[in-house]
Amino acid sequence: MSRQASRLDQKKVNSELFTLTYGTLVTQLLRDYENVEDVNKQLERMGYNIGVRLIEDFLARTSSGRCTDFKETAEKIQMGFKMFLGISPNITNWSPAGDEFSLIFDSNPLIEFVELPDNFMQLKYSNILPGVLRGACEMVQMEISSWFVQDQLKGDNCTELRVKFIKRLEDAIPAGED
Amino acid sequence: MTIYNFYLFDKNGTLLYYAEWFRVKQSGMTREEEGKLMYGMLFSLKTFVTRISPMDVKEGFLYYKTSKYVLNYFETPTGLKFVLNTDIVSPNNRDILQQIYSQIYVEYVVKNPLCSMNEAIESELFKTKLDEFIKRTPIYSVRSV
């Protein structure tokens, strides 16, 4: 059993390598699309595709079950950030209905070594993260949306990611006899 | 002790993978039909168990047992369904299914971008690893049939 336990140990990789690789990706997208809006969209879409797969890795490692409420989901998301990016964002600013919260990042590994040129103020540099969250939650029957309200790259003190619960997706029922 | 066969369904009921080791009797239908029948049964059982339970269900349907075999069932929050038929003397096999999920499926399907996640699994690597894994489990051993 010890062999299996060590095999599941997270493979550590230098976060600088990751940061720079992500930077290259964003640069390449800016070159390919020219339009900043399109780049935001592409990053979100890529994130979505990552999230769809990442959720399986997360569940397999934590062997956690379905969430009973959105608060639990928030904690799981926080745990995910710890696991995959090595950061623990704070959960705050719950909406009264309990269907919206914010994740506050003191530091964001994606934006280390990054400065936004003035003509790219519309660029949502870390827009891959909302995509990942959307993809991962969709796979566990939850439709959410998330977006950045504060960004250190744009001069804010911290990075704030807002997450909103939209609805529960229904379980698929088997197709009838044809 | 024996492992008979294994099914893997996705959340839409697609039969992603099927493998067998010591299956003596075939169902007499195509694999595709058999998969549908199996999935339908699992789905009904799951709903039935949840509905009829006198208490709040946490895990729901785990396994059923006949005079000849045990059907072990494991479902992930993402709706993947792992099914393993073993003989009746084998102990609880839930952790085997959990390990198939975390050590075989996630490693060789999810982390392989060339493997589509809602179609039947074609990967040879997955196939070999699963086979190796099953053959390494303590409950796998050839027994006169």
Side-chain angles (χ1 to χ4, degrees), chain B residues 87-142:
Chain B
D87 68 78
I88 49 173
V89 288
S90 300
N92 183 1
N93 298 307
R94 225 178 138 61
D95 42 335
I96 295 188
L97 289 176
Q98 187 122 30
Q99 283 172 20
I100 294 180
Y101 173 53
S102 64
Q103 291 170 24
I104 315 284
Y105 180 78
V106 169
E107 292 297 318
Y108 301 107
V109 175
V110 178
K111 294 188 184 172
N112 178 355
L114 295 178
C115 272
S116 153
M117 284 181 58
N118 34 28
E119 285 168 27
I121 298 167
E122 303 285 347
S123 160
E124 281 297 318
L125 189 60
F126 172 80
K127 210 167 149 179
T128 351
K129 292 288 177 184
L130 178 67
D131 195 56
E132 277 172 14
F133 176 83
I134 292 288
K135 288 181 175 161
R136 266 205 323 268
T137 54
I139 63 161
Y140 178 95
S141 62
V142 191

Side-chain angles (χ1 to χ4, degrees), chain A residues 59-72:
Chain A
L59 293 171
R61 281 197 211 177
T62 57
S63 49
S64 49
R66 289 253 171 113
C67 294
T68 45
D69 58 16
F70 201 46
K71 289 231 155 60
E72 202 182 332

Side-chain angles (χ1 to χ4, degrees), chain A residues 72 95 100 102 107:
Chain A
E72 202 182 332
S95 67
E100 248 185 275
S102 289
S107 67

Side-chain angles (χ1 to χ4, degrees), chain A residues 76-142:
Chain A
K76 294 265 164 74
I77 290 176
Q78 190 186 32
M79 212 156 107
F81 273 106
K82 178 86 199 124
M83 186 182 287
F84 295 112
L85 288 179
I87 48 172
S88 312
N90 287 321
I91 305 169
T92 50
N93 297 342
W94 279 95
S95 67
D99 63 345
E100 248 185 275
F101 65 90
S102 289
L103 290 163
I104 309 276
F105 303 83
D106 298 325
S107 67
N108 173 358
L110 292 181
I111 60 167
E112 233 170 299
F113 325 121
V114 178
E115 261 179 54
L116 275 192
D118 288 340
N119 50 338
F120 285 130
M121 278 327 252
Q122 291 311 308
L123 175 68
K124 296 172 187 154
Y125 186 85
S126 312
N127 214 26
I128 200 150
L129 296 181
V132 172
L133 290 187
R134 185 168 69 88
C137 287
E138 189 179 301
M139 294 306 282
V140 286
Q141 271 82 48
M142 259 188 313

